[in-house]
Amino acid sequence: MIDTLPKKYQRHIEVLVESYGAGQSLHDYISAKQEKHFPKLLGENRIRGVDWTEEQYIAHATQHLMGGYPLLERGYAKRILEDRPEELARSASTFGRLRYWWGTRDEENDFLCHANDMLRTLASGDIALFERYTAVTPAKARTGPWAEKLLHAGITAVISRDRTRLADAIAEYEAWKKPKMYITCMYATLQGLLDSDPVQVARGLDSFIETSRKISQLYDLFKYICLEPHGLYELCRWYDVALISEFNPDRSLPWDNGLYHWVRSNEGKCPHYDVKSLSPALQDWLVQLPFRDEHAHHWPDKGG
């Protein structure tokens, strides 16, 4: 797959291989980081006065080492270098689980939206994460750019199967005089979902794919394979499989046909990485998604 990339992307991949351990297993890559950084993370930077076990401290430190875009970029690199779409799916799911069940609030106790990252994570088929996230967070994000807040409102309304909330989100979008093109495409798709119109959903997704490379991205590599249309597709498919009956998924980049087929063949399975060998507690957190009290650093009771 790497031969199909422009030269600048091929050079980018070479950098990723070296800096993000794309040539290593995830265990070897993170184990090396644990050995290097744990003395500081488990020593002077340890969070004081919290009700964690030592294993939870280790899990938190491991989460710190794994969190962020390097994990997602690493998945892109392995997808392209080794033609392994499962690496992109697993990195997207794990990236999302590390982001959305932990650290979603700022110092004002507002939930941050990061809605583009929602779509990137949904591309892996990880609906369960956002069912959990939506159940424990407010219906609307109060911080962040308007485009992000609109995306957040639409996505969480669909996950909640709340048609009134979705209609309200669409009405709010329609009041925007100069929306970004990809927001227009996304809401055209959501309008089709609200109207139970597979033709409209297909048109919206087609337009979204066509404009997806114009989405502002932190990394150019994210424009080569665009995960956001995959995420919106998975959202519609989960809501009602009939909605995507008019959409043809067999297409070329920036849509990743290999990723699409991997997700289809692994439905019902947890798409995130298995990190038990790195931290059993972190593996439990990734599976169970036990949202914590962000400010008290307190884990809720198991029944909570």
Side-chain angles (χ1 to χ4, degrees):
M1 191 178 189
I2 192 170
D3 293 337
T4 66
L5 269 72
K7 291 293 184 182
K8 66 174 182 177
Y9 290 129
Q10 292 186 30
R11 289 193 294 271
H12 193 172
I13 287 292
E14 291 170 359
V15 172
L16 290 178
V17 169
E18 181 177 351
S19 61
Y20 296 150
Q24 300 172 279
S25 69
L26 183 68
H27 174 88
D28 291 343
Y29 171 57
I30 299 298
S31 290
K33 295 183 73 172
Q34 286 176 327
E35 184 175 349
K36 179 179 179 180
H37 297 290
F38 264 17
K40 190 170 186 178
L41 288 173
L42 296 177
E44 62 189 77
N45 288 344
R46 180 189 291 260
I47 298 176
R48 309 295 179 183
V50 298
D51 60 343
W52 290 352
T53 65
E54 187 64 21
E55 179 55 38
Q56 287 174 328
Y57 275 116
I58 292 172
H60 175 247
T62 305
Q63 180 269 338
H64 177 81
L65 295 177
M66 290 183 64
Y69 289 104
L71 182 67
L72 190 56
E73 280 201 287
R74 186 178 184 277
Y76 269 89
K78 291 187 77 68
R79 164 69 179 110
I80 293 167
L81 276 175
E82 302 172 8
D83 198 20
R84 296 177 63 189
E86 68 272 19
E87 289 291 339
L88 183 53
R90 294 195 191 286
S91 67
S93 172
T94 308
F95 163 81
R97 288 190 174 227
L98 293 175
R99 176 177 283 276
Y100 282 99
W101 63 269
W102 186 295
T104 54
R105 284 188 280 183
D106 65 11
E107 64 276 6
E108 303 299 328
N109 202 29
D110 284 337
F111 278 82
L112 306 175
C113 44
H114 303 297
N116 281 358
D117 288 340
M118 282 184 164
L119 291 176
R120 294 185 186 110
T121 302
L122 283 167
S124 69
D126 196 347
I127 296 288
L129 165 61
F130 291 105
E131 289 181 298
R132 176 71 170 129
Y133 170 80
T134 301
V136 299
T137 56
K140 288 188 175 182
R142 291 186 291 172
T143 60
W146 196 6
E148 289 269 332
K149 289 191 287 186
L150 279 176
L151 277 172
H152 182 279
I155 292 168
T156 56
V158 174
I159 291 290
S160 301
R161 295 189 179 274
D162 189 328
R163 296 178 65 82
T164 300
R165 272 178 55 191
L166 179 57
D168 289 345
I170 291 173
E172 186 175 357
Y173 153 73
E174 290 175 343
W176 193 0
K177 293 182 179 179
K178 294 182 179 180
K180 295 179 182 293
M181 181 58 68
Y182 78 97
I183 297 288
T184 299
C185 297
M186 192 196 100
Y187 268 87
T189 308
L190 293 181
Q191 184 69 62
L193 184 151
L194 184 64
D195 295 340
S196 300
D197 185 347
V199 173
Q200 176 64 25
V201 168
R203 287 174 181 163
L205 287 170
D206 287 341
S207 298
F208 195 18
I209 292 168
E210 290 172 5
T211 62
S212 59
R213 283 183 171 166
K214 297 180 181 179
I215 299 174
S216 177
Q217 301 282 16
L218 290 173
Y219 306 99
D220 284 344
L221 196 60
F222 291 178
K223 294 184 179 182
Y224 180 67
I225 298 173
C226 296
L227 292 180
E228 291 88 348
H230 282 272
L232 186 56
Y233 171 89
E234 294 298 333
L235 186 66
C236 292
R237 191 179 194 281
W238 167 81
Y239 188 85
D240 182 356
V241 70
L243 286 171
I244 45 84
S245 59
E246 296 296 321
F247 176 76
N248 179 14
D250 291 324
R251 57 183 70 209
S252 59
L253 294 169
W255 176 267
D256 187 341
N257 200 36
L259 174 65
Y260 162 79
H261 284 290
W262 187 89
V263 173
R264 293 284 70 75
S265 63
N266 287 273
E267 289 184 85
K269 301 176 184 177
C270 289
H272 57 80
Y273 284 120
D274 185 330
V275 300
K276 189 174 183 179
S277 63
L278 296 166
S279 168
L282 182 58
Q283 175 69 10
D284 288 343
W285 293 348
L286 285 174
V287 172
Q288 298 172 16
L289 301 171
F291 280 78
R292 71 184 176 106
D293 185 318
E294 183 75 9
H295 299 282
H297 299 290
H298 175 74
W299 290 101
D301 294 334
K302 289 185 178 180

